[in-house]
Amino acid sequence: MAFFKISCFNIPSPLLMFPVKEENKVCLFSLTNKREYELKVDLEKLQKWRFVGSSHGWLVILNEKADPILLNIFSGICHQLPGKETFPHIDSMHEVENGVFEIHYKSWNYSVSHSSENLRQLSVVKAVLSSDPSCDANCTVIVMYYVLGTSKLAFCRLGDSRWTGFGGEIQSYYDVACKDNVLYALGGGPSIEVWDFHESTPTRKIVIQAPCPQELKDAGQIYPSDLYSSQWYLVFSSCEMFLVVRYIGEFVRNDGEVVYEGDTLTNYFIFPYRTVKFHVYKLDFDQKIWLPVESLNDRALFLGGNHSVSLSVKEHPGCKANSIYFTDDYWDRMDEHDSYGGHDMGIFKLGDGRIEQLFDCDLQKFELPPFWIVPN
């Protein structure tokens, strides 16, 4: 794995990893000093991989065979994680020809075939780490993975040979976040399951059930499902817990108006999916209610396929306060067209609702979707 490594260790974070296809390279862009750092990487090979997690400065990647690996791009250290055939919902898997696998799922009585490319899209939704593997030999990798249209949970310790499934009453998980070896798993409602990973087997401590805030209930009328989709994120900030809801217009005109697909009665250019709004809520642990958040004060949130994080702009100069930095994690549509995907990123200003570009970038297809990396 030495081909994927950066020689400079003292790069101020947070970092945005993105490809520059015209120059056949992958760069890290530091928001702090506004400089680009080139990764020593085989871009052609990297484009056959899929990034499913960025946590504690490490990346979780599905390689060309859709097998998960854990990689530190600064040191080049790599850990092979249990193979895709060991996920809890899979009974058996065999490679019938190069890059094509016959899979028998435990819940089905017949087999299906998938290419490696399809498996990369259909397996892991998101991955986070319980701690930094550089400092904790008992680090746990937790993944959300697809099963029949729902997202379930599994984990492995470094050195394990299989993924171990776990979960509670939540039927499908929306996001996961770890703090001090405790996992917080977000589901509908919203509800949160809290899992303790200090022991060899995770134990569920509590389930946080808080009424759905009225603003979130009313959002269904403002952002109807035939025009918009949404993503939910769970973010820690010191001792606070935030629920962030992202609203994405499925088709958006260049003046910001969300329209139906095939709307030709317009002189405007119609973009594919694009983020148009964020709503933020803070959990009141005592009253068990979600409170609308009007300001993040000196904090900035970083969302996408990464482990969601909150940073102080005082400690990270160059970042903008009261803002949400986001990258594209709309996996269901990212690969539907050759001309776009990975493009939906920017800076949402919570104060006035404006969205700024991260950097000058025309609508284009990112074969490697941009990802946030925040080393400890």
Side-chain angles (χ1 to χ4, degrees):
M1 298 301 297
F3 69 90
F4 193 12
K5 183 178 177 181
I6 192 164
S7 57
C8 179
F9 285 81
N10 299 315
I11 304 176
S13 67
L15 305 168
L16 180 67
M17 183 177 68
F18 66 98
V20 184
K21 189 173 183 179
E22 297 79 8
E23 301 178 31
N24 194 37
K25 66 180 183 181
V26 177
C27 291
L28 295 178
F29 176 75
S30 169
L31 292 180
T32 301
N33 63 16
K34 303 298 187 289
R35 290 181 56 189
E36 292 183 6
Y37 301 84
E38 184 177 351
L39 283 167
K40 300 181 183 299
V41 57
D42 183 338
L43 181 57
E44 183 177 350
K45 183 171 185 178
L46 195 63
Q47 289 174 344
K48 298 178 182 178
W49 295 3
R50 180 174 170 230
F51 292 77
V52 294
S54 170
S55 184
H56 296 278
W58 292 69
L59 294 173
V60 181
I61 302 169
L62 303 182
N63 65 15
E64 63 272 13
K65 293 287 189 179
D67 287 313
I69 58 176
L70 179 63
L71 176 67
N72 187 305
I73 63 171
F74 299 97
S75 65
I77 295 175
C78 173
H79 297 280
Q80 186 70 54
L81 301 176
K84 58 186 176 298
E85 72 280 359
T86 69
F87 278 110
H89 65 305
I90 293 178
D91 184 49
S92 62
M93 180 184 298
H94 305 284
E95 188 169 13
V96 293
E97 57 182 282
N98 187 32
V100 178
F101 297 85
E102 185 177 83
I103 308 167
H104 191 277
Y105 294 98
K106 292 180 179 178
S107 56
W108 300 356
N109 58 3
Y110 60 90
S111 299
V112 296
S113 294
H114 285 298
S115 66
S116 297
E117 182 178 1
N118 285 341
L119 284 174
R120 288 194 296 271
Q121 305 303 322
L122 296 173
S123 53
V124 177
V125 184
K126 189 171 187 176
V128 299
L129 306 181
S130 65
S131 56
D132 186 347
S134 306
C135 310
D136 184 5
N138 294 318
C139 167
T140 305
V141 183
I142 300 108
V143 298
M144 293 166 47
Y145 66 97
Y146 279 127
V147 181
L148 298 176
T150 62
S151 295
K152 302 298 183 182
L153 300 178
F155 77 93
C156 75
R157 312 277 186 181
L158 298 185
D160 283 358
S161 60
R162 300 189 63 83
W163 292 96
T164 300
F166 70 103
E169 284 76 33
I170 292 178
Q171 295 300 307
S172 185
Y173 294 90
Y174 295 171
D175 196 18
V176 286
C178 275
K179 184 179 182 182
D180 301 325
N181 276 304
V182 176
L183 176 75
Y184 298 80
L186 174 66
S191 60
I192 300 170
E193 292 177 354
V194 184
W195 294 83
D196 190 340
F197 273 83
H198 284 91
E199 304 299 330
S200 57
T201 301
T203 55
R204 192 176 64 176
K205 297 171 63 177
I206 57 173
V207 177
I208 302 174
Q209 293 278 8
C212 183
Q214 189 62 44
E215 183 184 45
L216 186 53
K217 290 181 180 179
D218 296 340
Q221 300 178 14
I222 303 172
Y223 306 104
S225 59
D226 57 342
L227 287 173
Y228 299 84
S229 63
S230 65
Q231 302 266 37
W232 290 16
Y233 305 88
L234 202 57
V235 192
F236 282 100
S237 178
S238 299
C239 296
E240 297 179 320
M241 181 188 294
F242 293 121
L243 167 66
V244 183
V245 183
R246 173 180 183 173
Y247 295 98
I248 305 168
E250 298 288 6
F251 296 91
V252 185
R253 297 192 321 203
N254 59 338
D255 67 343
E257 182 77 16
V258 178
V259 296
Y260 288 98
E261 181 181 9
D263 185 354
T264 58
L265 301 178
T266 175
N267 294 322
Y268 294 93
F269 180 78
I270 297 180
F271 291 90
Y273 65 91
R274 177 165 286 187
T275 295
V276 297
K277 191 72 174 180
F278 284 90
H279 288 172
V280 183
Y281 308 91
K282 181 176 69 174
L283 181 64
D284 184 319
F285 284 93
D286 295 327
Q287 299 186 56
K288 296 293 188 296
I289 57 174
W290 291 101
L291 303 173
V293 173
E294 296 182 356
S295 176
L296 297 168
N297 300 316
D298 73 333
R299 311 296 295 187
L301 307 184
F302 290 81
L303 310 178
N306 57 291
H307 191 162
S308 303
V309 295
S310 167
L311 299 178
S312 167
V313 299
K314 295 178 181 177
E315 299 174 3
H316 297 82
C319 298
K320 298 180 180 181
N322 196 29
S323 298
I324 299 174
Y325 290 74
F326 62 94
T327 55
D328 197 341
D329 61 352
Y330 198 170
W331 310 121
D332 289 344
R333 292 194 60 193
M334 194 175 295
D335 293 306
E336 70 179 8
H337 201 280
D338 292 336
S339 62
Y340 60 81
H343 62 277
D344 186 23
M345 53 185 172
I347 308 169
F348 179 80
K349 313 302 288 295
L350 193 58
D352 57 18
R354 290 186 300 111
I355 295 179
E356 298 179 0
Q357 285 187 315
L358 274 168
F359 49 81
D360 291 334
C361 170
D362 294 330
L363 178 66
Q364 60 177 287
K365 175 75 171 182
F366 284 90
E367 296 294 345
L368 173 66
F371 244 78
W372 294 114
I373 301 176
V374 185
N376 289 345

